[in-house]
PDB file of all heavy atoms in Angstrom:
ATOM      1  N   GLY J  11      14.084 -24.849  17.610  1.00 98.00           N
ATOM      2  CA  GLY J  11      15.035 -25.207  16.544  1.00 98.00           C
ATOM      3  C   GLY J  11      15.880 -26.406  16.912  1.00 98.00           C
ATOM      4  O   GLY J  11      17.092 -26.410  16.703  1.00 98.00           O
ATOM      5  N   ARG J  14      18.030 -29.767  14.325  1.00 97.00           N
ATOM      6  CA  ARG J  14      19.363 -29.799  13.685  1.00 97.00           C
ATOM      7  C   ARG J  14      20.372 -29.053  14.556  1.00 97.00           C
ATOM      8  O   ARG J  14      20.003 -28.305  15.459  1.00 97.00           O
ATOM      9  CB  ARG J  14      19.315 -29.085  12.326  1.00 97.00           C
ATOM     10  CG  ARG J  14      18.332 -29.655  11.357  1.00 97.00           C
ATOM     11  CD  ARG J  14      18.461 -29.002   9.990  1.00 97.00           C
ATOM     12  NE  ARG J  14      17.877 -27.671   9.920  1.00 97.00           N
ATOM     13  CZ  ARG J  14      18.573 -26.569   9.620  1.00 97.00           C
ATOM     14  NH1 ARG J  14      19.874 -26.636   9.373  1.00 97.00           N
ATOM     15  NH2 ARG J  14      17.974 -25.396   9.553  1.00 97.00           N
ATOM     16  N   GLY J  15      21.639 -29.246  14.206  1.00 98.00           N
ATOM     17  CA  GLY J  15      22.727 -28.428  14.740  1.00 98.00           C
ATOM     18  C   GLY J  15      22.815 -28.382  16.259  1.00 98.00           C
ATOM     19  O   GLY J  15      22.677 -29.399  16.949  1.00 98.00           O
ATOM     20  N   ILE J  16      23.033 -27.183  16.786  1.00 98.00           N
ATOM     21  CA  ILE J  16      23.242 -27.006  18.229  1.00 98.00           C
ATOM     22  C   ILE J  16      21.979 -27.401  19.002  1.00 98.00           C
ATOM     23  O   ILE J  16      22.052 -28.056  20.046  1.00 98.00           O
ATOM     24  CB  ILE J  16      23.645 -25.535  18.521  1.00 98.00           C
ATOM     25  CG1 ILE J  16      25.026 -25.236  17.903  1.00 98.00           C
ATOM     26  CG2 ILE J  16      23.658 -25.258  20.017  1.00 98.00           C
ATOM     27  CD1 ILE J  16      25.435 -23.764  17.937  1.00 98.00           C
ATOM     28  N   ASN J  36      10.761 -25.823  12.734  1.00 98.00           N
ATOM     29  CA  ASN J  36       9.907 -25.028  11.848  1.00 98.00           C
ATOM     30  C   ASN J  36       9.657 -25.814  10.564  1.00 98.00           C
ATOM     31  O   ASN J  36       8.541 -26.254  10.319  1.00 98.00           O
ATOM     32  CB  ASN J  36      10.543 -23.674  11.556  1.00 98.00           C
ATOM     33  CG  ASN J  36       9.609 -22.777  10.769  1.00 98.00           C
ATOM     34  OD1 ASN J  36       8.388 -22.944  10.827  1.00 98.00           O
ATOM     35  ND2 ASN J  36      10.157 -21.842  10.032  1.00 98.00           N
ATOM     36  N   GLY J  37      10.720 -26.045   9.780  1.00 98.00           N
ATOM     37  CA  GLY J  37      10.551 -26.773   8.518  1.00 98.00           C
ATOM     38  C   GLY J  37      11.058 -28.202   8.549  1.00 98.00           C
ATOM     39  O   GLY J  37      10.638 -29.032   7.739  1.00 98.00           O
ATOM     40  N   SER J  38      11.967 -28.522   9.473  1.00 97.00           N
ATOM     41  CA  SER J  38      12.668 -29.822   9.440  1.00 97.00           C
ATOM     42  C   SER J  38      11.951 -30.901  10.248  1.00 97.00           C
ATOM     43  O   SER J  38      12.472 -31.389  11.260  1.00 97.00           O
ATOM     44  CB  SER J  38      14.096 -29.652   9.974  1.00 97.00           C
ATOM     45  OG  SER J  38      14.793 -28.683   9.250  1.00 97.00           O
ATOM     46  N   CYS J  61       6.434 -25.254  15.044  1.00 98.00           N
ATOM     47  CA  CYS J  61       6.021 -23.870  15.321  1.00 98.00           C
ATOM     48  C   CYS J  61       7.082 -22.930  14.775  1.00 98.00           C
ATOM     49  O   CYS J  61       8.278 -23.135  14.985  1.00 98.00           O
ATOM     50  CB  CYS J  61       5.873 -23.664  16.835  1.00 98.00           C
ATOM     51  SG  CYS J  61       5.631 -21.936  17.319  1.00 98.00           S
ATOM     52  N   ASN J  62       6.621 -21.905  14.080  1.00 98.00           N
ATOM     53  CA  ASN J  62       7.520 -20.851  13.621  1.00 98.00           C
ATOM     54  C   ASN J  62       7.643 -19.838  14.757  1.00 98.00           C
ATOM     55  O   ASN J  62       6.698 -19.099  15.036  1.00 98.00           O
ATOM     56  CB  ASN J  62       6.933 -20.202  12.366  1.00 98.00           C
ATOM     57  CG  ASN J  62       7.687 -18.957  11.952  1.00 98.00           C
ATOM     58  OD1 ASN J  62       8.759 -18.653  12.482  1.00 98.00           O
ATOM     59  ND2 ASN J  62       7.143 -18.233  10.998  1.00 98.00           N
ATOM     60  N   VAL J  63       8.805 -19.800  15.403  1.00 98.00           N
ATOM     61  CA  VAL J  63       8.920 -18.947  16.601  1.00 98.00           C
ATOM     62  C   VAL J  63       8.842 -17.455  16.280  1.00 98.00           C
ATOM     63  O   VAL J  63       8.644 -16.639  17.181  1.00 98.00           O
ATOM     64  CB  VAL J  63      10.203 -19.243  17.420  1.00 98.00           C
ATOM     65  CG1 VAL J  63      10.213 -20.672  17.952  1.00 98.00           C
ATOM     66  CG2 VAL J  63      11.465 -18.930  16.639  1.00 98.00           C
ATOM     67  N   ASN J  89      16.917 -21.388  20.976  1.00 98.00           N
ATOM     68  CA  ASN J  89      18.057 -21.722  20.119  1.00 98.00           C
ATOM     69  C   ASN J  89      17.811 -21.387  18.656  1.00 98.00           C
ATOM     70  O   ASN J  89      18.769 -21.173  17.911  1.00 98.00           O
ATOM     71  CB  ASN J  89      18.368 -23.220  20.279  1.00 98.00           C
ATOM     72  CG  ASN J  89      19.258 -23.738  19.184  1.00 98.00           C
ATOM     73  OD1 ASN J  89      20.472 -23.553  19.219  1.00 98.00           O
ATOM     74  ND2 ASN J  89      18.663 -24.361  18.157  1.00 98.00           N
ATOM     75  N   ALA J  90      16.549 -21.335  18.222  1.00 98.00           N
ATOM     76  CA  ALA J  90      16.239 -21.126  16.800  1.00 98.00           C
ATOM     77  C   ALA J  90      16.927 -19.860  16.296  1.00 98.00           C
ATOM     78  O   ALA J  90      16.857 -18.812  16.939  1.00 98.00           O
ATOM     79  CB  ALA J  90      14.734 -21.009  16.610  1.00 98.00           C
ATOM     80  N   GLY J  91      17.584 -19.972  15.163  1.00 98.00           N
ATOM     81  CA  GLY J  91      18.252 -18.788  14.627  1.00 98.00           C
ATOM     82  C   GLY J  91      18.645 -18.970  13.175  1.00 98.00           C
ATOM     83  O   GLY J  91      18.808 -20.099  12.696  1.00 98.00           O
ATOM     84  N   ILE J 139      20.276 -18.578  23.253  1.00 99.00           N
ATOM     85  CA  ILE J 139      21.514 -18.768  22.490  1.00 99.00           C
ATOM     86  C   ILE J 139      21.798 -17.477  21.722  1.00 99.00           C
ATOM     87  O   ILE J 139      21.076 -17.118  20.780  1.00 99.00           O
ATOM     88  CB  ILE J 139      21.423 -19.984  21.540  1.00 99.00           C
ATOM     89  CG1 ILE J 139      21.016 -21.257  22.314  1.00 99.00           C
ATOM     90  CG2 ILE J 139      22.762 -20.190  20.834  1.00 99.00           C
ATOM     91  CD1 ILE J 139      21.933 -21.668  23.462  1.00 99.00           C
ATOM     92  N   ALA J 140      22.826 -16.785  22.165  1.00 99.00           N
ATOM     93  CA  ALA J 140      23.256 -15.546  21.495  1.00 99.00           C
ATOM     94  C   ALA J 140      24.377 -15.910  20.526  1.00 99.00           C
ATOM     95  O   ALA J 140      24.293 -16.919  19.822  1.00 99.00           O
ATOM     96  CB  ALA J 140      23.688 -14.537  22.553  1.00 99.00           C
ATOM     97  N   TYR J 154      22.576  -9.956  11.920  1.00 98.00           N
ATOM     98  CA  TYR J 154      22.763 -11.053  12.883  1.00 98.00           C
ATOM     99  C   TYR J 154      23.360 -10.543  14.198  1.00 98.00           C
ATOM    100  O   TYR J 154      22.880 -10.874  15.292  1.00 98.00           O
ATOM    101  CB  TYR J 154      23.683 -12.096  12.242  1.00 98.00           C
ATOM    102  CG  TYR J 154      23.896 -13.344  13.056  1.00 98.00           C
ATOM    103  CD1 TYR J 154      22.918 -14.339  13.151  1.00 98.00           C
ATOM    104  CD2 TYR J 154      25.105 -13.566  13.729  1.00 98.00           C
ATOM    105  CE1 TYR J 154      23.125 -15.497  13.885  1.00 98.00           C
ATOM    106  CE2 TYR J 154      25.319 -14.715  14.467  1.00 98.00           C
ATOM    107  CZ  TYR J 154      24.328 -15.680  14.531  1.00 98.00           C
ATOM    108  OH  TYR J 154      24.542 -16.827  15.267  1.00 98.00           O
ATOM    109  N   LYS J 158      21.634 -10.629  17.901  1.00 99.00           N
ATOM    110  CA  LYS J 158      22.213 -11.347  19.042  1.00 99.00           C
ATOM    111  C   LYS J 158      22.567 -10.389  20.177  1.00 99.00           C
ATOM    112  O   LYS J 158      22.476 -10.756  21.353  1.00 99.00           O
ATOM    113  CB  LYS J 158      23.431 -12.157  18.586  1.00 99.00           C
ATOM    114  CG  LYS J 158      23.092 -13.283  17.603  1.00 99.00           C
ATOM    115  CD  LYS J 158      22.122 -14.295  18.213  1.00 99.00           C
ATOM    116  CE  LYS J 158      21.923 -15.520  17.337  1.00 99.00           C
ATOM    117  NZ  LYS J 158      21.065 -16.533  17.931  1.00 99.00           N
ATOM    118  N   PRO J 184      27.874 -18.804  21.620  1.00 98.00           N
ATOM    119  CA  PRO J 184      28.862 -19.651  20.939  1.00 98.00           C
ATOM    120  C   PRO J 184      29.723 -18.820  19.990  1.00 98.00           C
ATOM    121  O   PRO J 184      29.287 -17.779  19.469  1.00 98.00           O
ATOM    122  CB  PRO J 184      27.999 -20.642  20.150  1.00 98.00           C
ATOM    123  CG  PRO J 184      26.609 -20.515  20.682  1.00 98.00           C
ATOM    124  CD  PRO J 184      26.502 -19.115  21.177  1.00 98.00           C
ATOM    125  N   GLY J 185      30.940 -19.329  19.767  1.00 98.00           N
ATOM    126  CA  GLY J 185      31.786 -18.762  18.721  1.00 98.00           C
ATOM    127  C   GLY J 185      31.490 -19.501  17.433  1.00 98.00           C
ATOM    128  O   GLY J 185      30.323 -19.707  17.090  1.00 98.00           O
ATOM    129  N   ILE J 187      30.945 -22.729  15.543  1.00 98.00           N
ATOM    130  CA  ILE J 187      30.617 -24.115  15.889  1.00 98.00           C
ATOM    131  C   ILE J 187      30.330 -24.878  14.590  1.00 98.00           C
ATOM    132  O   ILE J 187      29.683 -24.337  13.684  1.00 98.00           O
ATOM    133  CB  ILE J 187      29.359 -24.165  16.811  1.00 98.00           C
ATOM    134  CG1 ILE J 187      29.520 -23.243  18.043  1.00 98.00           C
ATOM    135  CG2 ILE J 187      29.036 -25.592  17.224  1.00 98.00           C
ATOM    136  CD1 ILE J 187      30.622 -23.590  19.013  1.00 98.00           C
ATOM    137  N   THR J 189      28.370 -26.617  12.379  1.00 97.00           N
ATOM    138  CA  THR J 189      26.979 -26.991  12.056  1.00 97.00           C
ATOM    139  C   THR J 189      26.736 -26.563  10.603  1.00 97.00           C
ATOM    140  O   THR J 189      27.627 -25.987   9.968  1.00 97.00           O
ATOM    141  CB  THR J 189      25.943 -26.250  12.947  1.00 97.00           C
ATOM    142  OG1 THR J 189      25.981 -24.853  12.611  1.00 97.00           O
ATOM    143  CG2 THR J 189      26.197 -26.439  14.422  1.00 97.00           C
ATOM    144  N   MET J 191      25.168 -24.100   9.695  1.00 94.00           N
ATOM    145  CA  MET J 191      25.269 -22.639   9.622  1.00 94.00           C
ATOM    146  C   MET J 191      26.677 -22.193   9.222  1.00 94.00           C
ATOM    147  O   MET J 191      26.849 -21.209   8.506  1.00 94.00           O
ATOM    148  CB  MET J 191      24.879 -22.038  10.979  1.00 94.00           C
ATOM    149  CG  MET J 191      24.699 -20.539  10.953  1.00 94.00           C
ATOM    150  SD  MET J 191      24.136 -19.904  12.549  1.00 94.00           S
ATOM    151  CE  MET J 191      22.370 -19.940  12.343  1.00 94.00           C
ATOM    152  N   THR J 192      27.687 -22.926   9.688  1.00 95.00           N
ATOM    153  CA  THR J 192      29.077 -22.534   9.382  1.00 95.00           C
ATOM    154  C   THR J 192      29.657 -23.311   8.203  1.00 95.00           C
ATOM    155  O   THR J 192      30.696 -22.932   7.670  1.00 95.00           O
ATOM    156  CB  THR J 192      29.986 -22.721  10.620  1.00 95.00           C
ATOM    157  OG1 THR J 192      29.750 -24.020  11.166  1.00 95.00           O
ATOM    158  CG2 THR J 192      29.703 -21.678  11.683  1.00 95.00           C
TER     159      THR J 192
HETATM  160  P1  NAP A 301      21.460 -24.474  12.052  1.00 74.27           P
HETATM  161  O1  NAP A 301      22.195 -25.766  12.004  1.00 74.27           O
HETATM  162  O2  NAP A 301      21.314 -23.662  10.822  1.00 74.27           O
HETATM  163  O3  NAP A 301      20.033 -24.729  12.722  1.00 74.27           O
HETATM  164  C1  NAP A 301      19.137 -23.673  12.899  1.00 74.27           C
HETATM  165  C2  NAP A 301      17.941 -24.180  13.654  1.00 74.27           C
HETATM  166  O4  NAP A 301      17.048 -23.091  13.878  1.00 74.27           O
HETATM  167  C3  NAP A 301      17.187 -25.241  12.883  1.00 74.27           C
HETATM  168  O5  NAP A 301      16.833 -26.286  13.771  1.00 74.27           O
HETATM  169  C4  NAP A 301      15.934 -24.505  12.408  1.00 74.27           C
HETATM  170  O6  NAP A 301      14.798 -25.325  12.332  1.00 74.27           O
HETATM  171  C5  NAP A 301      15.743 -23.507  13.520  1.00 74.27           C
HETATM  172  N1  NAP A 301      14.911 -22.394  13.087  1.00 74.27           N
HETATM  173  C6  NAP A 301      15.216 -21.413  12.189  1.00 74.27           C
HETATM  174  N2  NAP A 301      14.176 -20.577  12.034  1.00 74.27           N
HETATM  175  C7  NAP A 301      13.186 -21.037  12.861  1.00 74.27           C
HETATM  176  C8  NAP A 301      11.878 -20.594  13.152  1.00 74.27           C
HETATM  177  N3  NAP A 301      11.357 -19.516  12.568  1.00 74.27           N
HETATM  178  N4  NAP A 301      11.144 -21.301  14.061  1.00 74.27           N
HETATM  179  C9  NAP A 301      11.656 -22.402  14.661  1.00 74.27           C
HETATM  180  N5  NAP A 301      12.899 -22.856  14.411  1.00 74.27           N
HETATM  181  C10 NAP A 301      13.649 -22.195  13.524  1.00 74.27           C
HETATM  182  O7  NAP A 301      22.159 -23.489  13.102  1.00 74.27           O
HETATM  183  P2  NAP A 301      23.018 -23.772  14.413  1.00 74.27           P
HETATM  184  O8  NAP A 301      24.420 -23.519  14.067  1.00 74.27           O
HETATM  185  O9  NAP A 301      22.620 -25.039  15.035  1.00 74.27           O
HETATM  186  O10 NAP A 301      22.537 -22.523  15.292  1.00 74.27           O
HETATM  187  C11 NAP A 301      21.703 -22.674  16.433  1.00 74.27           C
HETATM  188  C12 NAP A 301      21.738 -21.372  17.221  1.00 74.27           C
HETATM  189  O11 NAP A 301      23.084 -21.102  17.598  1.00 74.27           O
HETATM  190  C13 NAP A 301      21.286 -20.159  16.416  1.00 74.27           C
HETATM  191  O12 NAP A 301      20.583 -19.260  17.261  1.00 74.27           O
HETATM  192  C14 NAP A 301      22.593 -19.528  15.969  1.00 74.27           C
HETATM  193  O13 NAP A 301      22.456 -18.154  15.716  1.00 74.27           O
HETATM  194  C15 NAP A 301      23.452 -19.803  17.182  1.00 74.27           C
HETATM  195  N6  NAP A 301      24.892 -19.759  16.910  1.00 74.27           N
HETATM  196  C16 NAP A 301      25.467 -20.626  16.039  1.00 74.27           C
HETATM  197  C17 NAP A 301      26.846 -20.554  15.800  1.00 74.27           C
HETATM  198  C18 NAP A 301      27.567 -21.490  14.870  1.00 74.27           C
HETATM  199  O14 NAP A 301      28.767 -21.273  14.647  1.00 74.27           O
HETATM  200  N7  NAP A 301      26.956 -22.529  14.341  1.00 74.27           N
HETATM  201  C19 NAP A 301      27.583 -19.568  16.447  1.00 74.27           C
HETATM  202  C20 NAP A 301      26.952 -18.693  17.320  1.00 74.27           C
HETATM  203  C21 NAP A 301      25.610 -18.803  17.545  1.00 74.27           C
HETATM  204  P3  NAP A 301      14.149 -25.783  10.917  1.00 74.27           P
HETATM  205  O15 NAP A 301      15.238 -26.500  10.184  1.00 74.27           O
HETATM  206  O16 NAP A 301      13.030 -26.654  11.343  1.00 74.27           O
HETATM  207  O17 NAP A 301      13.712 -24.531  10.224  1.00 74.27           O
END
Side-chain angles (χ1 to χ4, degrees):
R14 302 187 284 120
I16 294 171
N36 186 25
S38 303
C61 171
N62 171 10
V63 298
N89 164 80
I139 306 302
Y154 184 76
K158 295 300 188 177
I187 307 296
T189 67
M191 191 176 268
T192 48

